[in-house]
Amino acid sequence: MNGFVVIDKPVGLTSHDVVNRVRRILGTRRVGHTGTLDPFATGVLPVAVNEGTKAIPFLDEGQKVYEALLRLGVKTDTLDMTGRVLHEADGTQVSRDRLEAVVADFTGEISQMPPMFSAIKQDGQPLYKLARKGQEVERQARQVQIYSLEIVSVDLPLVALRVVCSRGTYVRSLADDMGAALGCGAALQELRRTASGPFTIAASMTLDELQEAAQEGRTEAVCRTPYAVLGHLMDIPLTDAGVVKVRHGRAPELDETGIAAWPACAAPLTVRLSQGQELVAVAELSSLDGEGVRIALKRVFC
């Protein structure tokens, strides 16, 4: 099995726990996940297996989709309901108009402070380890993009939101910041990721379902190939001669491809080199000052 499985992560497991379970189910050590999910969060966790791990650096997971449930009237140290309560207030008096105004304020490009309970490292140590010791360190705010923020339902003090955001967005921080803007505080009660780039909840499976597929010899059927998940890259098909050359670590000539001319590339262009919808390599094309195109192989696949 070479490629990706999309696991619907259950509540309570870390992303590393899921990787260990997949290793045991599939009987291979070459397994890695993309896009960490907090233990209390559920949903889409893409897991790369064997040759799929080589494709991770080239994925386009720039857009994430979440279903978030906020509890108004509470502030915690972890910014979610698993943490220690720092402050409580009445979260049942917020009007729909006020909610919609705050939602509008937090749509678009916003500045966000990463939470202390996060995997960001400070001097080589994850912040959450410092936070567990009661330490708080200075962090740098970052710009993130909230493409869409939709109120799904309101049953105060609970507010359900659908969030479409850029990679690197902390929905826990978003909940906390919105609570501050509302004046009553808010913490994240539930979080479910429904999409991460090309990986969606509709194409996901539970760990038990993966176990069943492995026992029945159906793992290839539930696997998304490296060629498929890198569909955002321009595809350049290779001839048999081109495949042989690339397998030996050499860039193909134009006549060893299925295209008539190299694409124009004012800036470096990352492409797929393939044959028969099988990924052979990922390469980078760059212009040689009007004197042709330079091809650099970035990763060759089996």
Side-chain angles (χ1 to χ4, degrees):
M1 181 176 177
N2 296 291
F4 289 79
V5 289
V6 186
I7 299 300
D8 184 352
K9 190 189 86 65
V11 69
L13 293 186
T14 68
S15 299
H16 188 63
D17 291 336
V18 172
V19 166
N20 284 337
R21 286 279 300 276
V22 173
R23 282 175 177 153
R24 291 196 295 271
I25 291 170
L26 300 180
T28 179
R29 295 294 304 169
R30 293 177 62 197
V31 178
H33 68 80
T34 76
T36 302
L37 276 178
D38 290 334
F40 88 99
T42 66
V44 170
L45 183 68
V47 177
V49 181
N50 294 323
E51 287 292 286
T53 58
K54 295 181 179 179
I56 290 176
F58 310 105
L59 292 172
D60 179 13
E61 290 187 280
Q63 184 168 292
K64 315 277 188 175
V65 183
Y66 295 93
E67 295 174 356
L69 184 64
L70 278 61
R71 176 171 288 276
L72 305 187
V74 62
K75 180 178 178 65
T76 74
D77 58 351
T78 60
L79 313 187
D80 60 54
M81 293 306 296
T82 68
R84 179 170 57 91
V85 174
L86 303 176
H87 174 74
E88 288 186 277
D90 187 356
T92 63
Q93 303 303 311
V94 177
S95 69
R96 180 71 182 230
D97 287 346
R98 182 63 185 136
L99 276 174
E100 290 177 349
V102 168
V103 162
D105 287 342
F106 282 87
T107 302
E109 187 176 55
I110 64 171
S111 179
Q112 188 176 78
M113 183 67 70
M116 275 301 300
F117 281 86
S118 67
I120 295 174
K121 291 186 177 180
Q122 181 99 346
D123 297 327
Q125 191 167 19
L127 291 182
Y128 67 82
K129 290 189 176 181
L130 298 176
R132 287 172 182 166
K133 298 175 183 177
Q135 301 178 28
E136 183 159 350
V137 298
E138 186 176 345
R139 289 100 67 203
Q140 293 294 320
R142 58 174 65 177
Q143 297 298 115
V144 298
Q145 191 75 31
I146 308 298
Y147 300 109
S148 172
L149 189 55
E150 174 190 354
I151 299 173
V152 176
S153 65
V154 177
D155 184 15
L156 294 177
L158 301 178
V159 178
L161 300 174
R162 182 177 183 271
V163 186
V164 183
C165 58
S166 62
R167 184 172 191 165
T169 300
Y170 284 94
V171 183
R172 285 181 292 131
S173 293
L174 179 64
D176 184 65
D177 291 343
M178 291 180 68
L182 289 167
C184 61
L188 199 59
Q189 178 154 316
E190 294 178 7
L191 182 65
R192 182 165 178 77
R193 185 161 64 194
T194 58
S196 179
F199 306 104
T200 65
I201 199 69
S204 70
M205 64 193 318
T206 65
L207 287 166
D208 287 343
E209 288 170 337
L210 179 62
Q211 176 79 63
E212 183 178 334
Q215 291 171 343
E216 296 175 355
R218 295 187 290 106
T219 54
E220 289 296 332
V222 301
C223 172
R224 292 196 64 186
T225 66
Y227 176 87
V229 301
L230 298 185
H232 60 287
L233 300 180
M234 176 182 289
D235 187 51
I236 297 179
L238 298 174
T239 64
D240 289 344
V243 170
V244 170
K245 183 175 282 188
V246 170
R247 297 282 194 222
H248 286 85
R250 293 180 292 151
E253 302 294 335
L254 182 62
D255 62 3
E256 294 168 332
T257 74
I259 59 176
W262 294 117
C265 46
L269 178 67
T270 303
V271 300
R272 293 181 299 180
L273 303 180
S274 67
Q275 186 178 59
Q277 295 196 330
E278 178 184 345
L279 186 64
V280 178
V282 173
E284 184 177 86
L285 308 185
S286 54
S287 174
L288 292 176
D289 297 326
E291 298 181 4
V293 170
R294 176 178 177 272
I295 310 168
L297 299 179
K298 305 299 287 185
R299 202 66 191 257
V300 177
F301 292 73
C302 290

